[in-house]
Amino acid sequence: MSDFSGYQPSSAATLLAKLGVLPALQDEERSALATLAGEEAWIGEGRAIVADGEIQPTVCLLLDGWACRCKDFRDGRRQIIAFLTPGDFICGDESAAPRRSDHAVRALTRTRVTWISRDRWRAALVRNEGLAAFVFGAAAREAAILRAWLVNLGQRSARERMAWLFCDLAQRLGEDGPSENLAVPLSQQTLAHALGLTPVHVNRVLQQLRGDGLIDFHSGTLTIRDPSRLRGVAGYDGAYLRN
Amino acid sequence: MSDFSGYQPSSAATLLAKLGVLPALQDEERSALATLAGEEAWIGEGRAIVADGEIQPTVCLLLDGWACRCKDFRDGRRQIIAFLTPGDFICGDESAAPRRSDHAVRALTRTRVTWISRDRWRAALVRNEGLAAFVFGAAAREAAILRAWLVNLGQRSARERMAWLFCDLAQRLGEDGPSENLAVPLSQQTLAHALGLTPVHVNRVLQQLRGDGLIDFHSGTLTIRDPSRLRGVAGYDGAYLRN
DNA sequence: CGTCCGGTTGAAGAGATTCAATTGAAGTGG
DNA sequence: CCACTTCAATTGAATCTCTTCAACCGGACG
């Protein structure tokens, strides 16, 4: 993976900022969360944060960098199920009993991660209604993204599919900022794994989209040149992200 | 849709039986749930139970028949996101605030449905820990199926994909019975919508699978002739269904 | 300096779609 | 009981998207 120095490593503030999106979330809740966070760790690019089949007893949060949920086949095929960015739950967001993971979570860049004891987490949710509402909302949102992604894979052509993914990323990353020149630390290979395409085809479609003046995608930076036309080819409707 | 008279319409007992799967669920919890159920309704085949974009203020349960979550495009394309069978939540299982639905739920057969007031539901979950655990488990399970389905669409060929879907259905339907001669009330058209293929191609692949002695699929009945070989071509591993 | 990895290009082939036509079973009405 | 409709399933042929395989480029790095 090339040079992704464009990322401003964020502290726990990233998560808190994300939590801040919820108007109902009081300072009290934010600090509650901040105090919950236990040990932290940096994890190298490409490493697994959670292995497929592993039982994760703790709640796990992504603080810095990008990760992905992915499923690997014996024969080398790989499907990326979701991209995770700072503030996302790596596991345990449903607060239910620990479950055997049916997929791996891998670091796409160097990432910083923190773990929270499930008991303390559960206690905090019971104590703090606003926090609980936020967490359930986040879970519902992730499920919505999952469904939208599934639809994307099932129905759209390679061109539409890639356009859609870029719309999705722009929407999610740009919710608190302008949607141009986004830091998207993904190789074409990784895009291929996310889109269910071959790297070769990703490359060609990428050139096509660039040639049409829709986007630019170079060394970890996504530039959306014509947002509305891109949404047009993608058939993109961001409704699934609004609650 | 042809003749699906093979279905024994089940009462609320179906749901309760499904709940009974969870050992920890006490009679107390089951009856709690039974008393919660409010008005019922029968819904005709093909009708929408929940429309895309609708806000469903109540919790909604499927009691009889099959339904699907599906996303319809303007241009007529349609992707089925999940199949729902008796005992499944149509909406509201996360118990979070009501959310604008990002997809429709359609009846694939004639279905029977019941609605529960969200307030009473939430109260019941708080009161009854076992019930809450079951509900969260169900949500986690549905998410796992969703992920597995996404992987299926993204990585597998038409043949593998269809084999996988049949394995999935057999596993889920057969959990409380033998896995042969399953009632699967789906047209080839519907299969196509679920698999992201054209009906024509579904037909050909179906013939191929039948010719290979793997399955039989006729007038709403799925017969798995060679389960282990079918799992082989599908690359099926049912781990995502176990918790 | 050589190697490695991501990106790029070309050519050939497989898999799935598209369009169009036919079959067959179920349901309707005369 | 038979025409007539309807709709799912089936078949064929042409087309196209995407894959596969193989080679090459260029920057990063030991």
Side-chain angles (χ1 to χ4, degrees):
Chain A
M1 199 138 308
S2 342
D3 165 42
F4 298 126
S5 50
Y7 302 103
Q8 58 288 57
S10 68
S11 63
T14 312
L15 173 61
L16 300 185
K18 207 156 194 168
L19 290 172
V21 169
L22 189 82
L25 206 63
Q26 308 298 334
D27 288 341
E28 177 196 350
E29 282 133 22
R30 266 177 242 172
S31 57
L33 200 87
T35 57
L36 278 175
E39 2 164 18
E40 282 182 18
W42 282 99
I43 296 184
E45 174 186 323
R47 306 228 65 82
I49 303 172
V50 178
D52 191 351
E54 185 180 338
I55 295 178
Q56 195 71 1
T58 62
V59 172
C60 184
L61 269 166
L62 181 61
L63 296 178
D64 268 313
W66 281 47
C68 68
R69 304 186 184 284
C70 75
K71 185 73 186 175
D72 293 305
F73 287 27
R74 302 260 174 77
D75 60 13
R77 282 183 279 185
R78 163 178 295 182
Q79 176 67 42
I80 291 180
I81 296 163
F83 289 127
L84 304 177
T85 53
D88 284 336
F89 287 94
I90 291 174
C91 60
D93 53 344
E94 353 69 347
S95 87
R99 209 168 189 276
R100 184 175 296 279
S101 170
D102 55 21
H103 62 277
V105 180
R106 311 196 85 82
L108 290 170
T109 66
R110 216 167 98 82
T111 60
R112 190 161 58 97
V113 166
T114 186
W115 291 272
I116 302 175
S117 136
R118 205 175 273 264
D119 289 337
R120 295 182 62 191
W121 179 243
R122 194 153 7 195
L125 290 187
V126 172
R127 213 181 317 116
N128 194 323
E129 212 169 302
L131 185 60
F134 172 78
V135 168
F136 287 127
R141 179 192 163 93
E142 189 178 338
I145 294 172
L146 207 58
R147 282 190 293 267
W149 208 326
L150 186 149
V151 169
N152 196 32
L153 287 184
Q155 293 298 316
R156 287 190 249 263
S157 68
R159 180 184 162 87
E160 297 170 317
R161 218 182 287 182
M162 180 141 24
W164 187 92
L165 179 59
F166 288 144
C167 288
D168 176 63
L169 289 174
Q171 186 81 40
R172 285 155 63 190
L173 298 174
E175 260 169 4
D176 29 75
S179 67
E180 294 241 334
N181 271 44
L182 299 161
V184 175
L186 307 174
S187 65
Q188 296 186 3
Q189 172 78 240
T190 306
L191 275 183
H193 286 146
L195 294 169
L197 301 170
T198 57
V200 175
H201 201 56
V202 164
N203 182 289
R204 297 198 231 261
V205 175
L206 226 31
Q207 290 178 51
Q208 204 192 312
L209 291 177
R210 173 158 7 112
D212 294 349
L214 294 167
I215 56 139
D216 239 319
F217 184 72
H218 276 310
S219 57
T221 304
L222 170 65
T223 310
I224 303 205
R225 297 227 171 278
D226 191 335
S228 81
R229 206 148 58 82
L230 186 67
R231 281 193 289 271
V233 310
Y236 185 80
D237 171 14
Y240 66 100
L241 285 176
R242 299 184 272 280
N243 49 358
Chain B
M1 202 140 305
S2 341
D3 165 42
F4 298 126
S5 50
Y7 301 101
Q8 58 287 58
S10 70
S11 64
T14 312
L15 173 61
L16 300 185
K18 206 154 193 170
L19 289 173
V21 168
L22 189 83
L25 205 63
Q26 308 297 336
D27 288 343
E28 179 196 349
E29 281 133 23
R30 266 177 242 171
S31 57
L33 200 87
T35 57
L36 279 174
E39 2 165 16
E40 284 182 16
W42 281 98
I43 295 184
E45 174 185 326
R47 305 228 65 82
I49 303 173
V50 178
D52 191 350
E54 185 180 340
I55 295 179
Q56 196 70 2
T58 62
V59 173
C60 183
L61 269 165
L62 181 61
L63 296 178
D64 267 313
W66 281 48
C68 67
R69 303 187 185 282
C70 74
K71 186 73 185 175
D72 293 305
F73 287 26
R74 300 261 174 79
D75 60 13
R77 283 183 278 184
R78 164 177 297 181
Q79 177 66 43
I80 290 179
I81 296 163
F83 289 127
L84 304 177
T85 54
D88 284 336
F89 287 93
I90 291 174
C91 60
D93 54 344
E94 354 70 349
S95 87
R99 208 170 189 277
R100 186 176 296 279
S101 170
D102 55 21
H103 61 277
V105 180
R106 313 195 83 81
L108 289 170
T109 66
R110 216 168 98 82
T111 60
R112 191 160 58 96
V113 166
T114 186
W115 292 272
I116 302 176
S117 136
R118 206 175 271 264
D119 289 338
R120 295 182 62 190
W121 180 243
R122 196 155 4 196
L125 290 187
V126 172
R127 213 182 314 118
N128 194 322
E129 211 169 302
L131 185 60
F134 171 78
V135 168
F136 288 126
R141 179 192 163 93
E142 189 178 338
I145 295 173
L146 207 57
R147 284 190 292 268
W149 208 327
L150 187 149
V151 170
N152 196 32
L153 287 184
Q155 293 299 315
R156 286 190 249 264
S157 69
R159 181 184 162 87
E160 296 170 318
R161 218 183 288 181
M162 183 150 3
W164 187 91
L165 178 59
F166 287 144
C167 288
D168 176 63
L169 289 174
Q171 187 80 38
R172 286 156 62 190
L173 297 174
E175 261 169 2
D176 30 73
S179 66
E180 296 240 335
N181 271 44
L182 298 162
V184 175
L186 307 175
S187 65
Q188 296 186 2
Q189 172 78 241
T190 306
L191 276 184
H193 286 145
L195 294 169
L197 300 171
T198 57
V200 174
H201 200 55
V202 164
N203 183 288
R204 296 197 233 260
V205 174
L206 226 30
Q207 289 177 52
Q208 204 191 312
L209 291 177
R210 176 162 359 119
D212 294 348
L214 293 168
I215 57 137
D216 239 319
F217 185 72
H218 276 309
S219 56
T221 304
L222 170 65
T223 310
I224 302 204
R225 298 227 172 277
D226 191 334
S228 82
R229 206 148 58 80
L230 186 67
R231 281 192 289 270
V233 311
Y236 185 81
D237 170 13
Y240 65 100
L241 285 176
R242 299 185 272 279
N243 50 358

